[in-house]
Amino acid sequence: MSSETLPAAGRYAPSPSGDLHFGNLRTALLAWLFARWSGRKFYLRVEDVDTQRSSLESAARQQEDLQAIGLDWDGEVLRQQDRSAAYEAALVRLPHYECYCSRKDIQEAARAPHAIPGQYPGTCRDLSDKEREAKRAELAAAGRVPALRLRADRDEYTVHDYHRGVYTDEVDDFILRRGGNANQHQDFAYNLAVVVDDAYQGVDQVVRGDDLLTSAPRQAYLAHLLGKAAAEYVHVPLVLNSDGRRLSKRDGAVTLRQLLETASVQQVVGQLAASLGLAGARSAEEILEGFDPARMGWDPVFWEPAGN
Ligand code: GLU
């Protein structure tokens, strides 16, 4: 099926590496609100492409949490670990090369005078076939296989974000499939999986935390290389702790399950509603009734434990 024939859709795509906390719930709620408000389908995707840090048990708990706050989704939940064939099919269509660098090699190269922080310096990009053979053999002797990197033909790309407007950021030869132990499964990279899955599901509206804004140009560039339209991005402010850093489980009782030890689900939903300027709404449906993206606030949201 081509993406033109798929219904417009939004999605929430959590990595199943722990219980959802207040900040995750707010992002999930916003993804659901934007999709439902605009008449889109809404999908849930289990982003377990990182096999080391994911568990099915965690995915099941996250789904229970989302249902508990009143979110629903269309169709089956898509699981990235079932999608390797699709990622492989995309990978062979993308210009790429093997990278033999260790993390240490990259760190060292990043200290060179002209290195651009956070960008792969291109060490393995222009190796000759002979050099590749030698490096591949060296890795193989250590029981390892190389990573695969995109051969990017530009160094920046521009996307459109609902709140930020036109946003341009760097694109480099980022990883498409991880290297590692030759006896283990080689994980595809999140940046590849997310683009392939969004296209497959007809997702044309990506609502997620603004920590991923800087990844959007890379992802839109990949979509472009695969002949897919870029999504409309809606990067929403993360919930921050009192130090102004992203809320995390280290900040105390912040997961829904912990919150429900002392509060009712209506209270937690009420707190989510208040964080969206819709105090008084008692359910996700009531929040949806009052929701208007044009009137929502974009200032950072600070976590305040109930009772403070
Ligand atoms: N799986 C990512 C996360 O849990 C979200 C990716 C996305 O929404 O594009 O942070």
Coordinates of all heavy atoms in Angstrom, one line a residue, residues 28-81:
A28 N 2.4 11.8 25.8 CA 1.5 10.9 25.2 C 0.1 11.5 25.0 O -0.6 11.4 24.0 CB 1.4 9.6 26.0
L29 N -0.3 12.2 26.0 CA -1.7 12.9 26.0 C -1.7 13.9 24.9 O -2.6 13.9 24.1 CB -1.9 13.5 27.4 CG -3.2 14.4 27.5 CD1 -4.5 13.6 27.2 CD2 -3.3 15.1 28.8
L30 N -0.6 14.7 24.7 CA -0.6 15.7 23.7 C -0.6 15.0 22.3 O -1.2 15.5 21.4 CB 0.7 16.6 23.8 CG 0.5 17.7 24.8 CD1 1.8 18.3 25.2 CD2 -0.5 18.8 24.2
A31 N 0.1 13.9 22.1 CA 0.1 13.2 20.8 C -1.3 12.7 20.5 O -1.8 12.9 19.4 CB 1.1 12.0 20.9
W32 N -2.0 12.2 21.5 CA -3.4 11.8 21.3 C -4.3 12.9 21.0 O -5.1 12.9 20.1 CB -3.8 11.0 22.6 CG -5.2 10.5 22.7 CD1 -5.6 9.3 22.2 CD2 -6.3 11.1 23.3 NE1 -6.9 9.1 22.5 CE2 -7.4 10.2 23.1 CE3 -6.5 12.3 23.9 CZ2 -8.7 10.5 23.6 CZ3 -7.8 12.6 24.4 CH2 -8.9 11.7 24.2
L33 N -4.1 14.0 21.8 CA -5.0 15.2 21.6 C -4.8 15.8 20.2 O -5.8 16.1 19.5 CB -4.6 16.3 22.6 CG -5.0 16.0 24.1 CD1 -4.4 17.1 25.0 CD2 -6.6 16.1 24.2
F34 N -3.5 16.0 19.7 CA -3.3 16.5 18.4 C -3.9 15.6 17.3 O -4.5 16.1 16.4 CB -1.8 16.7 18.1 CG -1.3 18.1 18.5 CD1 -0.8 18.3 19.8 CD2 -1.3 19.1 17.6 CE1 -0.3 19.5 20.1 CE2 -0.8 20.4 17.9 CZ -0.3 20.6 19.2
A35 N -3.8 14.3 17.5 CA -4.3 13.4 16.5 C -5.9 13.4 16.5 O -6.5 13.6 15.5 CB -3.8 12.0 16.7
R36 N -6.4 13.3 17.7 CA -7.9 13.2 17.7 C -8.5 14.6 17.4 O -9.5 14.6 16.7 CB -8.3 12.8 19.2 CG -7.9 11.4 19.6 CD -8.6 10.4 18.7 NE -8.4 9.0 19.1 CZ -8.1 8.0 18.3 NH1 -8.1 8.1 17.0 NH2 -8.0 6.8 18.8
W37 N -7.9 15.7 17.8 CA -8.4 17.0 17.5 C -8.5 17.2 16.0 O -9.4 17.9 15.5 CB -7.5 18.0 18.2 CG -8.0 19.4 18.1 CD1 -8.9 20.1 18.9 CD2 -7.7 20.4 17.1 NE1 -9.1 21.4 18.5 CE2 -8.4 21.6 17.3 CE3 -6.8 20.4 16.0 CZ2 -8.2 22.7 16.5 CZ3 -6.7 21.5 15.2 CH2 -7.4 22.7 15.5
S38 N -7.4 16.7 15.3 CA -7.3 16.9 13.8 C -8.0 15.8 13.0 O -7.8 15.7 11.8 CB -5.9 17.1 13.4 OG -5.1 16.0 13.8
G39 N -8.7 14.9 13.7 CA -9.4 13.9 13.0 C -8.5 12.8 12.5 O -8.9 12.1 11.5
R40 N -7.3 12.7 13.0 CA -6.4 11.6 12.6 C -6.6 10.3 13.3 O -7.1 10.3 14.4 CB -5.0 12.1 12.8 CG -4.5 13.1 11.8 CD -3.0 13.4 12.1 NE -2.4 14.2 11.0 CZ -2.6 15.4 10.8 NH1 -3.4 16.2 11.5 NH2 -2.0 16.0 9.7
K41 N -6.1 9.2 12.7 CA -5.9 8.0 13.4 C -4.8 8.2 14.5 O -4.0 9.1 14.3 CB -5.4 6.9 12.5 CG -6.4 6.6 11.4 CD -7.3 5.4 11.8 CE -8.3 5.1 10.8 NZ -9.5 4.5 11.4
F42 N -4.8 7.4 15.5 CA -3.8 7.5 16.5 C -3.2 6.1 16.7 O -4.0 5.1 17.1 CB -4.3 8.1 17.8 CG -3.2 8.3 18.8 CD1 -2.2 9.1 18.7 CD2 -3.3 7.5 20.0 CE1 -1.2 9.3 19.6 CE2 -2.3 7.7 21.0 CZ -1.3 8.6 20.8
Y43 N -1.9 5.9 16.5 CA -1.3 4.6 16.7 C -0.4 4.6 17.9 O 0.2 5.6 18.2 CB -0.5 4.2 15.5 CG -1.4 4.1 14.2 CD1 -1.0 4.8 13.1 CD2 -2.6 3.4 14.2 CE1 -1.8 4.8 11.9 CE2 -3.3 3.3 13.0 CZ -2.9 4.0 11.9 OH -3.7 4.0 10.8
L44 N -0.2 3.4 18.4 CA 0.8 3.2 19.5 C 1.9 2.2 18.9 O 1.5 1.2 18.3 CB 0.2 2.5 20.7 CG 1.1 2.4 21.9 CD1 1.5 3.7 22.4 CD2 0.4 1.6 23.0
R45 N 3.1 2.6 19.1 CA 4.2 1.8 18.6 C 5.2 1.5 19.7 O 5.6 2.4 20.4 CB 4.9 2.6 17.5 CG 5.9 1.7 16.7 CD 6.2 2.3 15.4 NE 7.1 3.5 15.5 CZ 6.8 4.6 14.8 NH1 5.8 4.7 14.0 NH2 7.6 5.6 14.9
V46 N 5.6 0.2 19.8 CA 6.6 -0.2 20.8 C 8.0 0.0 20.1 O 8.3 -0.8 19.2 CB 6.4 -1.6 21.2 CG1 7.5 -2.1 22.2 CG2 5.0 -1.8 21.9
E47 N 8.7 1.0 20.6 CA 10.0 1.2 20.0 C 11.1 0.4 20.7 O 11.9 1.0 21.5 CB 10.3 2.7 19.9 CG 9.4 3.4 18.9 CD 10.0 4.6 18.2 OE1 10.8 5.3 18.8 OE2 9.6 4.8 17.1
D48 N 11.1 -0.9 20.4 CA 12.1 -1.8 21.1 C 13.2 -2.2 20.1 O 13.7 -3.3 20.2 CB 11.3 -3.0 21.7 CG 10.5 -3.7 20.6 OD1 10.5 -3.3 19.4 OD2 10.0 -4.8 20.9
V49 N 13.6 -1.2 19.2 CA 14.6 -1.5 18.3 C 16.0 -1.7 19.1 O 16.8 -2.4 18.6 CB 14.7 -0.4 17.2 CG1 15.3 0.8 17.8 CG2 15.4 -0.9 16.0
D50 N 16.1 -1.1 20.2 CA 17.2 -1.3 21.1 C 17.0 -2.5 22.0 O 16.4 -2.4 23.0 CB 17.4 0.0 21.9 CG 18.6 -0.1 22.9 OD1 19.1 -1.2 23.1 OD2 19.0 1.0 23.4
T51 N 17.4 -3.7 21.5 CA 17.0 -4.9 22.2 C 17.6 -5.0 23.6 O 17.0 -5.6 24.5 CB 17.5 -6.1 21.4 OG1 18.9 -5.9 21.0 CG2 16.7 -6.3 20.1
Q52 N 18.7 -4.4 23.8 CA 19.4 -4.5 25.2 C 18.5 -3.8 26.3 O 18.5 -4.3 27.4 CB 20.7 -3.7 25.2 CG 21.7 -4.2 24.2 CD 22.4 -5.5 24.7 OE1 22.9 -5.5 25.8 NE2 22.5 -6.5 23.8
R53 N 17.9 -2.7 25.9 CA 17.2 -1.9 26.9 C 15.7 -2.1 26.9 O 15.0 -1.3 27.6 CB 17.6 -0.5 26.8 CG 19.0 -0.2 27.4 CD 19.3 1.2 27.5 NE 19.5 1.9 26.2 CZ 19.6 3.1 26.0 NH1 19.3 4.0 27.0 NH2 19.8 3.6 24.8
S54 N 15.1 -3.0 26.1 CA 13.7 -3.1 26.0 C 13.2 -4.4 26.6 O 13.9 -5.4 26.6 CB 13.3 -3.0 24.5 OG 13.9 -1.9 23.9
S55 N 11.9 -4.3 27.1 CA 11.3 -5.6 27.5 C 9.8 -5.5 27.1 O 9.2 -4.5 27.2 CB 11.5 -5.8 29.0 OG 10.6 -5.2 29.7
L56 N 9.3 -6.7 26.8 CA 7.9 -6.8 26.5 C 7.0 -6.5 27.7 O 5.9 -6.0 27.6 CB 7.6 -8.2 26.0 CG 7.7 -8.4 24.5 CD1 7.2 -9.8 24.1 CD2 6.8 -7.4 23.7
E57 N 7.6 -6.9 28.9 CA 6.8 -6.6 30.1 C 6.7 -5.1 30.3 O 5.6 -4.7 30.7 CB 7.6 -7.2 31.3 CG 6.9 -7.3 32.6 CD 7.8 -7.3 33.8 OE1 9.0 -7.6 33.7 OE2 7.3 -6.9 34.9
S58 N 7.7 -4.4 30.1 CA 7.6 -2.9 30.2 C 6.6 -2.4 29.2 O 5.8 -1.5 29.5 CB 9.0 -2.3 30.0 OG 9.0 -1.0 29.9
A59 N 6.6 -2.9 28.0 CA 5.7 -2.4 26.9 C 4.3 -2.6 27.4 O 3.4 -1.8 27.3 CB 5.9 -3.1 25.6
A60 N 4.0 -3.8 28.0 CA 2.6 -4.1 28.5 C 2.2 -3.1 29.6 O 1.1 -2.7 29.6 CB 2.6 -5.6 29.0
R61 N 3.2 -2.9 30.5 CA 2.9 -1.9 31.6 C 2.6 -0.5 31.1 O 1.7 0.2 31.5 CB 4.0 -1.9 32.6 CG 4.1 -3.2 33.5 CD 5.5 -3.2 34.2 NE 5.6 -2.2 35.3 CZ 5.2 -2.4 36.5 NH1 4.8 -3.6 36.9 NH2 5.4 -1.5 37.4
Q62 N 3.4 -0.1 30.1 CA 3.2 1.2 29.5 C 1.8 1.3 28.9 O 1.1 2.3 29.0 CB 4.2 1.5 28.4 CG 5.6 1.7 29.0 CD 6.7 2.0 28.0 OE1 6.5 1.8 26.8 NE2 7.8 2.6 28.4
Q63 N 1.4 0.2 28.2 CA 0.0 0.2 27.6 C -1.1 0.3 28.6 O -2.1 1.0 28.5 CB -0.1 -1.0 26.7 CG 0.7 -0.8 25.4 CD 0.9 -2.1 24.6 OE1 0.0 -2.9 24.5 NE2 2.0 -2.3 24.0
E64 N -0.9 -0.4 29.7 CA -1.9 -0.3 30.8 C -1.9 1.1 31.4 O -3.0 1.6 31.7 CB -1.5 -1.2 32.0 CG -1.8 -2.7 31.7 CD -1.1 -3.6 32.8 OE1 -0.8 -3.1 33.9 OE2 -0.9 -4.8 32.4
D65 N -0.8 1.8 31.5 CA -0.7 3.1 32.0 C -1.5 4.1 31.1 O -2.2 5.0 31.6 CB 0.7 3.6 32.2 CG 1.4 2.9 33.3 OD1 0.8 2.2 34.1 OD2 2.7 3.0 33.4
L66 N -1.2 4.0 29.8 CA -1.9 4.9 28.8 C -3.4 4.7 28.9 O -4.2 5.6 28.8 CB -1.3 4.6 27.4 CG 0.1 4.9 27.3 CD1 0.7 4.5 25.9 CD2 0.4 6.5 27.4
Q67 N -3.8 3.4 29.0 CA -5.3 3.1 29.1 C -5.8 3.7 30.4 O -6.9 4.2 30.4 CB -5.5 1.6 29.0 CG -5.5 1.2 27.5 CD -5.4 -0.3 27.4 OE1 -4.9 -1.0 28.3 NE2 -5.9 -0.9 26.3
A68 N -5.1 3.6 31.4 CA -5.5 4.1 32.7 C -5.9 5.6 32.7 O -6.8 6.0 33.4 CB -4.5 3.8 33.8
I69 N -5.1 6.4 31.9 CA -5.4 7.8 31.9 C -6.4 8.1 30.8 O -6.7 9.3 30.5 CB -4.1 8.7 31.8 CG1 -3.4 8.4 30.5 CG2 -3.2 8.5 33.0 CD1 -2.4 9.6 30.1
G70 N -6.9 7.1 30.1 CA -8.0 7.3 29.2 C -7.7 7.5 27.7 O -8.5 7.9 26.9
L71 N -6.4 7.1 27.4 CA -6.0 7.2 26.0 C -6.4 5.9 25.3 O -6.3 4.8 25.8 CB -4.5 7.4 25.8 CG -4.0 8.7 26.6 CD1 -2.5 8.9 26.1 CD2 -4.9 9.9 26.3
D72 N -6.8 6.0 24.0 CA -7.0 4.8 23.2 C -6.3 4.9 21.9 O -5.8 6.0 21.6 CB -8.5 4.6 23.0 CG -9.1 5.8 22.2 OD1 -8.4 6.8 22.0 OD2 -10.3 5.7 21.8
W73 N -6.2 3.8 21.2 CA -5.4 3.9 19.9 C -6.1 3.0 18.9 O -6.9 2.1 19.3 CB -4.0 3.6 20.1 CG -3.7 2.3 20.9 CD1 -3.6 1.0 20.4 CD2 -3.5 2.2 22.3 NE1 -3.4 0.2 21.4 CE2 -3.3 0.9 22.6 CE3 -3.4 3.2 23.3 CZ2 -3.0 0.4 23.9 CZ3 -3.2 2.7 24.6 CH2 -3.0 1.4 24.9
D74 N -5.8 3.2 17.6 CA -6.4 2.4 16.6 C -5.6 1.2 16.2 O -4.3 1.3 16.1 CB -6.6 3.3 15.3 CG -7.5 4.5 15.6 OD1 -8.7 4.3 15.9 OD2 -7.1 5.7 15.6
G75 N -6.2 0.1 15.9 CA -5.6 -1.0 15.4 C -4.6 -1.7 16.3 O -4.6 -1.4 17.5
E76 N -3.8 -2.5 15.8 CA -2.8 -3.3 16.5 C -1.6 -2.4 16.9 O -1.3 -1.5 16.1 CB -2.2 -4.4 15.7 CG -3.2 -5.4 15.2 CD -3.5 -6.5 16.2 OE1 -2.5 -7.1 16.6 OE2 -4.7 -6.6 16.6
V77 N -1.0 -2.7 18.0 CA 0.3 -2.0 18.4 C 1.4 -2.6 17.5 O 1.5 -3.8 17.3 CB 0.6 -2.3 19.9 CG1 1.9 -1.7 20.2 CG2 -0.6 -1.7 20.7
L78 N 2.1 -1.7 16.9 CA 3.3 -2.1 16.0 C 4.5 -2.3 16.9 O 4.8 -1.4 17.8 CB 3.5 -1.1 14.9 CG 4.5 -1.5 13.8 CD1 3.8 -2.6 12.9 CD2 4.9 -0.3 13.0
R79 N 5.2 -3.4 16.7 CA 6.4 -3.6 17.5 C 7.6 -3.7 16.6 O 7.7 -4.4 15.6 CB 6.2 -5.0 18.2 CG 7.2 -5.2 19.3 CD 7.0 -6.6 20.0 NE 8.2 -6.8 20.6 CZ 8.8 -8.0 20.8 NH1 8.2 -9.0 20.4 NH2 9.9 -8.1 21.4
Q80 N 8.6 -2.9 17.0 CA 9.8 -2.7 16.1 C 10.6 -4.0 15.9 O 11.2 -4.3 14.9 CB 10.7 -1.6 16.5 CG 10.0 -0.2 16.3 CD 10.9 0.9 16.5 OE1 11.8 0.9 17.4 NE2 10.8 2.0 15.8
Q81 N 10.5 -4.9 16.9 CA 11.3 -6.1 16.8 C 10.7 -7.1 15.7 O 11.3 -8.0 15.3 CB 11.4 -6.8 18.1 CG 12.6 -6.1 18.9 CD 13.0 -6.8 20.1 OE1 12.9 -8.0 20.3 NE2 13.5 -6.1 21.1

